Amino acid sequence: MTTDTSSSASPAPAPLPVAKKARHEMEMFGDIRVDNYYWLRDDSRSDPEVLGYLHQENAYTEFVMSGTKQLQDQIYAEIRGHIKEDDITAPVQRGPYYYYERTLEGKEYSQHCRRLAPNDGAPLSVYDTMPTGPDAPPEHIILDENLKAQEHKYYSIGHFKVSPNNKLVAYAEDTKGDEIYTVYIIDAESGAPIGKPLQRMTSYIEWAGDEAIVYITMDEILRPDKVWLHKLGTDQSADSCLYHEKDDMFSLDLEASESKKYLFVSSESKITRFVFYLDTSKPENGLTVVTSRVVGIDTSVSHRGNHFFLKRRTEECFNSELLACPVDNPSAITVLLPHRPSIKIQDIQLFSDHLAVYERENGLVKLTTYHLPTVGEPLERLQGGRTVDFADPVYYIYPEESQFCSSILRFVYSSLRTPISVYDYDMNTGVSVLKKSETVLGGFDASNYVTERQWATASDGTQVPISVVYRKNSVKLDGSDPLLLYGYGSYEVCIDPSFKASRLSLLDKGFIYAIAHVRGGGDMGRQWYENGKLLKKKNTFTDFIACAEYLIEKKYCMKEKLCINGRSAGGLLIGAVLNMRPDLFKAAVAGVPFVDIVTTMLDPTLPLTTSEWEEWGDPRKEEFYFYMKSYSPVDNVKAQNYPAILVTAGLNDPRVMYSEAAKYVAKLRDTKTDNNLLLFKCELGAGHFSKSGRFEKLQEDALIYAFFMKALDMVSAASAAQTRL
């Protein structure tokens, strides 16, 4: 294997890691699978032999990539050079305060801040701005994550919730990356702790009035299974359990209504969801049923006045319908927005006088607002909505926190060339005002970039959308340009075309970037998801291959210039298509990849397994076992040539165990017939989402981009170009 030698600070040579083989047989339905690397799974994450192997892999990756050190440093500097390091988020007014987060130059983490709002009590306007400068009310730092993170290699705050009276804050803290949180309650002014921390929780926390919080804990397989009421000033051992979900196919969720009068506790599987409510003025009364558990019916609930608003999905209404019912009679249902086969109701946002509906049609989200009748008057079918127009051919919008008793809707807009932009929209007048746009330094000009929507034809004739972006004067569009194709395709997750500043480093080097919106995701509605799961899962992979072939056919690239990337379930996608069509790609990155699907889904002691049988299938049933085995990346590695591959993992990852990636790499090394790069990097102090610091994360981007460029033999040219600059 050859390596670049452009850096003088190369680490000492590291030998190619060779994992030992220890035959482990697993038999099901008369079928025997042999896993020679089963020993790499160590749930304690402390076995010296396992950790030693991971260290060897990391050292080897560092050695092989040492020749790109100069390029990685260059890319990192480019990415960081686009970031305005000292900045604040768009302030949101809650009562008498503006709340926002501040980042400081050179600091990895955020400060949570607030300052008094001079217009407290006045109706909100799209033109309101938080006062700054010497005459403005002083800024108060409630919590500085940089100080909290000093003693930890990993630091992440899951939720940060201010009490209704603005006097207290509850926040959930993870210091390992394992997504097991500790919740602290502090005085918002002094920062003084209120009682003892609450241990071993999810990040789901909500205030039930000013003197109690509701939270969710997990069972031994990290399934959110119990919801609790905690009264301030009492010990956690005295907390009352409001509900225990004993069915291991279901997990609990928690959210507050926009009106803040109710908390909604949901119990959900992949196809069923039912809801309870808690009156925040009477939390001691416990939970009351809003919608009952009926297999195949999925409901979510919002509140306004004397009505609950229900978004309900059934087998017949697969893209959901919007309903309303009286709070005191949930069975008396009125249809506000009927089901439409081509339009999926994605989100709703309620206000005292308005309703905002986010709908997905033809792969794009549209936003429509409606004026509601006065509380107490009859609610009937919605008519006369006003739709907000957007300029880019492909884009992404999503709701942000808005004030319930106002006509001002806040949303975020972004596209592959448009930085994340926060707008306030007056639902009475149709006027929208930009409140905050992500500042992109380094001479960025959105007009230099082109975004497109293309459609590939899948093997069964289905039209699959592709979002594309490139820099105008940096590509030839004759097949010679390098292209990075991203895919996911699971859990009804939509990979919408949004902006990422670090991607500019690739685009400015002549890369085309594309997203394959494959089945299994939710990009084209619920049926798009249904047609890429369970016994139709292979559509996800063949869709991705069809997108790759289309991009080659239309001369966006050639297969010698085609790179692919996916994370988690998207890593499963990458592993599957590499086994199916290794000839089609030049290089691949599989991040925290779910590649040992059969073994994992046969083990109900692992996190997520039981709840995901409705996503992947239950391999304890013969039909699912053999279907899943037919595409499982680890089970289908074979003696053939593969492209260059980089695999990443996180030792503390609770979602996809690090051992899946480790076994996948070990088997590839033993089996494949080429000499192309095969690298494995395991973050030993992080989880599913890699390192926690904002600049630390950029180092992983720089490594991945340098890996692609190394595989494409672009390292020397890129370094030379930088030297000329």
Side-chain angles (χ1 to χ4, degrees), residues 82 190 458 568 623:
H82 287 304
S190 68
S568 195
E623 183 180 24

Side-chain angles (χ1 to χ4, degrees), residues 2 50 106 118 174 260 322 339 359 437 551 631 669 686:
T2 59
V50 172
D174 173 11
K260 307 303 181 186
L322 182 61
H339 174 256
E359 296 169 313
S437 182
L551 293 167
Y631 68 76
R669 279 234 174 83

Side-chain angles (χ1 to χ4, degrees), residues 366-658:
K366 67 176 185 177
L367 170 58
T368 306
T369 63
Y370 299 87
H371 193 280
L372 296 175
T374 303
V375 170
E377 293 183 2
L379 271 174
E380 299 174 349
R381 183 165 295 195
L382 299 174
Q383 294 178 336
R386 178 181 298 180
T387 300
V388 183
D389 293 323
F390 302 103
D392 289 295
V394 290
Y395 61 85
Y396 180 39
I397 53 171
Y398 60 91
E400 273 282 274
E401 180 181 343
S402 305
Q403 302 312 299
F404 179 72
C405 294
S406 79
S407 63
I408 309 303
L409 166 69
R410 175 164 287 188
F411 64 85
V412 174
Y413 175 83
S414 177
S415 80
L416 290 171
R417 68 174 184 178
T418 307
I420 294 171
S421 306
V422 179
Y423 285 88
D424 278 353
Y425 176 79
D426 191 321
M427 293 179 284
N428 286 327
T429 65
V431 172
S432 61
V433 174
L434 177 65
K435 308 304 290 187
K436 174 75 179 178
S437 182
E438 176 188 355
T439 302
V440 183
L441 304 177
F444 170 75
D445 182 349
S447 66
N448 289 331
Y449 302 86
V450 176
T451 61
E452 299 174 353
R453 167 61 56 89
Q454 298 291 330
W455 297 85
T457 302
S459 53
D460 62 359
T462 299
Q463 294 293 294
V464 182
I466 310 171
S467 297
V468 181
V469 63
Y470 53 86
R471 185 171 177 128
K472 281 181 188 175
N473 300 321
S474 298
V475 299
K476 303 180 184 67
L477 298 179
D478 61 357
S480 66
D481 302 306
L483 186 146
L484 175 56
L485 179 62
Y486 185 87
Y488 187 76
S490 293
Y491 304 113
E492 206 177 356
V493 169
C494 306
I495 305 298
D496 284 301
S498 58
F499 188 82
K500 186 178 179 183
S502 63
R503 195 182 296 136
L504 295 174
S505 184
L506 274 187
L507 298 178
D508 292 347
K509 289 178 174 58
F511 272 79
I512 298 170
Y513 180 81
I515 303 169
H517 301 282
V518 295
R519 281 176 284 185
D523 309 70
M524 296 281 285
R526 179 72 183 189
Q527 288 298 101
W528 199 250
Y529 165 59
E530 297 283 359
N531 288 329
K533 63 182 288 198
L534 297 174
L535 297 174
K536 298 179 180 179
K537 186 63 205 170
K538 289 182 184 177
N539 284 335
T540 303
F541 317 135
T542 53
D543 282 1
F544 189 84
I545 290 169
C547 290
E549 291 175 330
Y550 174 88
L551 293 167
I552 293 169
E553 176 194 347
K554 297 300 181 181
K555 297 192 180 302
Y556 283 93
C557 67
M558 60 184 74
K559 60 185 180 181
E560 292 81 10
K561 295 291 187 74
L562 178 54
C563 304
I564 58 175
N565 188 10
R567 295 188 87 255
S568 195
L572 163 64
L573 163 65
I574 298 302
V577 300
L578 287 178
N579 285 331
M580 294 165 69
R581 287 294 306 278
D583 61 299
L584 195 56
F585 314 107
K586 180 65 176 178
V589 171
V592 291
F594 182 32
V595 284
D596 195 15
I597 181 169
V598 178
T599 303
T600 293
M601 297 305 293
L602 280 170
D603 189 345
T605 68
L606 287 173
L608 302 183
T609 291
T610 55
S611 64
E612 297 200 353
W613 283 327
E614 290 177 344
E615 173 78 22
W616 309 103
D618 183 351
R620 298 174 304 177
K621 300 174 182 176
E622 185 171 358
E623 183 180 24
F624 285 111
Y625 172 85
F626 284 106
Y627 185 79
M628 293 163 74
K629 183 190 174 188
S630 72
Y631 68 76
S632 170
V634 163
D635 291 297
N636 288 279
V637 169
K638 49 183 169 287
Q640 61 182 356
N641 289 351
Y642 284 84
I645 302 171
L646 168 63
V647 180
T648 68
L651 183 64
N652 297 324
D653 190 341
R655 297 172 183 244
V656 182
M657 285 196 70
Y658 74 91

Side-chain angles (χ1 to χ4, degrees), residues 7 41 126 200 249 318 327 368 386 500 550 586 685 711:
S7 172
R41 173 182 165 180
V126 290
R200 294 193 62 79
M249 297 277 283
F318 51 84
V327 169
T368 306
R386 178 181 298 180
K500 186 178 179 183
Y550 174 88
K586 180 65 176 178

Side-chain angles (χ1 to χ4, degrees), residues 148-204:
K148 299 285 291 182
Q150 286 178 350
E151 299 176 3
H152 307 285
K153 291 182 178 179
Y154 181 97
Y155 189 83
S156 176
I157 286 183
H159 281 121
F160 183 92
K161 300 284 184 175
V162 181
S163 63
N165 63 9
N166 292 280
K167 292 183 178 180
L168 303 175
V169 167
Y171 66 92
E173 177 185 275
D174 173 11
T175 59
K176 292 177 64 179
D178 59 6
E179 300 178 53
I180 300 173
Y181 290 86
T182 300
V183 169
Y184 297 85
I185 302 171
I186 60 172
D187 182 282
E189 277 297 318
S190 68
I194 306 297
K196 296 178 180 179
L198 307 176
Q199 305 288 345
R200 294 193 62 79
M201 295 165 47
T202 69
S203 65
Y204 299 126

